[in-house]
Amino acid sequence: MNVYEELGVPVVVNGVGPATRLGGLPISDEVWHAMREASLHSVRISDLQIAAGRTLAKLLSVPACYVTSGAASALHLATASMMTRDDPALIDRLPDVSGMRSEVVVQRAHRDPYDHAVTSTGATLVEIGYPKSTHSGELRRALTSRTAAVLFRPGATGNLLGLAEFASIAHEQNIPVIIDAALITPPLDRLTGLFDDGADLIAVSGGKGLRAPQATGLLCGRPELIDLVSLHHQDMDEREQTWHTAAERPGLRTPPRHGIGRPMKVGREQIIGLVAAVQQYLRAPDDGNMTGINELEIARRHLQDGGVVPVEKAYEHSLNVPVLHLDLGALGLDVDRVVRDLAQLPTPVILGEDLAWRSVLIANPMALRPGNGIQLAESVNSVCRLALAEGESGQ
Ligand SMILES: *Cc1c(COP(=O)(O)O)cnc(C)c1O
């Protein structure tokens, strides 16, 4: 019996990939062993963050890094840091934003549900432009003495401001550029391109393609900005007389208290696990997906042999993996019903719904385990056969 069965929690076939709601991806033995070893020894988390940040920065060829509990918390910590800088009074005041810069300017086309990670600091988003277009004048007019930062989310299409132009206008007013790169990294060489185009702080997810522990992420950026993040994040049960990092922060006469990011703490296991996962990823970027891609091919052949559901190979560019498209519309089946039926099986099968609007379900390989390919295909075949038979008998 595995730990989930002991609790009575059904184990699912995850055909979605690195989805937080399904727990993300399996971690490797190498990462697991590093985490186990990390948990045995006590260290100062502030020392560990500095050392891990240096190591990660070198590995990723970026200026500086800080380990967070995910890309979302990286966005939160980046925003909080840009609002308060190193003023302990302002740090202690959040999410009350009185007396500080508290607006974050974003193109409307770049809005996303993860914006909550930015506004949960107390910041206000100021939208510019329209879903398919932004003018540079709209950005210029939105930047004021209230602006703490601008937010850029790569990937949207339209006549939008590209990063280089967006950043250069923000930098004319000395306003930092925060990037949400959770969906486009890895590949990690994209980070260099973002910095070349003017990024100041970049949020990266550990739990997606890097296959680090699910609750990890990274904020990469300019060293003097990354240096502020710990003030919002670290446990501050310290006395000001003996606050051990005081010497490194001569500008701070008195330390702040627990920052707004304290609920997003990362443990030593997460920090070490992320370092190990990045090292492993850089040694062999494609290895992590091999098992799943193999299972996906088994699923494709089984689906094809089953002859029930039209199946097509496709490519998911943001995650850099092959996927399958299952065209339920071609069968005249109600996609929502198929999703619900698959979810009610004794071993639920969960597929991607990004194309549900055109009655297509997506099978992603990244979380598939040995045996999942056949299981996925047989479940889809039987659920669809049953739904078709009921349709014919008029039920
Ligand atoms: C996944 C994602 C995030 C959040 O990443 P976590 O590491 O899970 O916190 C943020 N922004 C975008 C665009 C994402 O796709």
Side-chain angles (χ1 to χ4, degrees), residues 18-20 68-75 112-115 117 153-154 180-184 203-208 213-218 319:
T20 299
T68 67
S69 58
S73 75
L75 289 174
D112 178 288
Y114 286 105
D115 289 345
R153 195 172 269 116
D180 178 357
L183 208 55
I184 65 155
V204 175
S205 182
K208 290 185 176 164
Q214 161 65 6
T216 60
L218 268 175
L319 293 168

Side-chain angles (χ1 to χ4, degrees), residues 336-345 348-349 383 386-387 390:
D336 299 338
R337 183 214 158 137
V338 172
V339 169
R340 282 196 293 263
D341 288 353
L342 285 168
Q344 272 160 22
L345 295 172
V349 172
V383 159
L386 197 67
E390 282 179 17

Side-chain angles (χ1 to χ4, degrees), residues 25-35 55-56 59-60 186 188 206 208-213 271-291:
L25 306 179
I27 55 175
S28 68
D29 287 347
E30 182 175 329
V31 171
W32 171 244
H33 284 127
M35 292 174 78
T55 298
L56 287 163
L59 287 168
L60 302 175
L188 292 168
K208 290 185 176 164
L210 288 176
R211 294 181 175 269
I271 298 172
I272 290 292
L274 178 64
V275 172
V278 169
Q279 286 167 334
Q280 188 172 24
Y281 175 87
L282 289 172
R283 268 202 312 277
D286 299 326
D287 278 11
N289 287 332
M290 267 171 12
T291 303

Side-chain angles (χ1 to χ4, degrees), residues 36-249:
R36 167 76 185 132
E37 200 176 331
S39 77
L40 299 176
H41 309 283
S42 292
V43 292
R44 280 199 186 102
I45 296 293
S46 51
D47 291 344
L48 178 57
Q49 276 281 10
I50 289 169
R54 278 196 193 121
T55 298
L56 287 163
K58 207 176 280 172
L59 287 168
L60 302 175
S61 307
V62 299
C65 280
Y66 188 91
V67 180
T68 67
S69 58
S73 75
L75 289 174
H76 179 99
L77 292 167
T79 308
S81 303
M82 294 309 94
M83 289 199 291
T84 65
R85 300 295 169 137
D86 67 353
D87 184 332
L90 301 186
I91 293 168
D92 285 347
R93 193 174 298 161
L94 287 178
D96 172 353
V97 298
S98 48
M100 64 184 92
R101 291 171 173 256
S102 61
E103 290 181 357
V104 176
V105 178
V106 62
Q107 300 183 71
R108 182 158 304 186
H110 289 190
R111 293 294 314 269
D112 178 288
Y114 286 105
D115 289 345
H116 212 164
V118 172
T119 52
S120 55
T121 57
T124 308
L125 279 177
V126 175
E127 271 187 10
I128 55 169
Y130 286 88
K132 290 287 171 199
S133 98
T134 316
H135 290 168
S136 61
E138 290 166 337
L139 176 57
R140 283 207 168 80
R141 290 195 296 279
L143 300 176
T144 69
S145 58
R146 296 185 301 278
T147 312
V150 294
L151 173 67
F152 190 94
R153 195 172 269 116
T157 55
N159 291 316
L160 306 172
L161 301 180
L163 178 57
E165 185 181 10
F166 187 78
S168 86
I169 293 169
H171 289 162
E172 284 167 15
Q173 316 274 340
N174 290 320
I175 291 169
V177 179
I178 301 172
I179 313 253
D180 178 357
L183 208 55
I184 65 155
T185 47
L188 292 168
D189 51 10
R190 287 186 181 151
L191 291 172
T192 311
L194 295 172
F195 281 117
D196 287 348
D197 283 346
D200 295 296
L201 290 167
I202 306 179
V204 175
S205 182
K208 290 185 176 164
L210 288 176
R211 294 181 175 269
Q214 161 65 6
T216 60
L218 268 175
L219 189 65
C220 309
R222 284 173 30 213
E224 71 276 20
L225 302 184
I226 290 293
D227 194 40
L228 301 169
V229 173
S230 67
L231 296 171
H232 291 270
H233 190 232
Q234 283 177 15
D235 191 277
M236 293 300 290
D237 274 333
E238 306 238 16
R239 288 176 61 240
E240 62 184 330
Q241 292 85 342
T242 53
W243 184 38
H244 81 284
T245 62
E248 295 152 30
R249 297 186 182 275

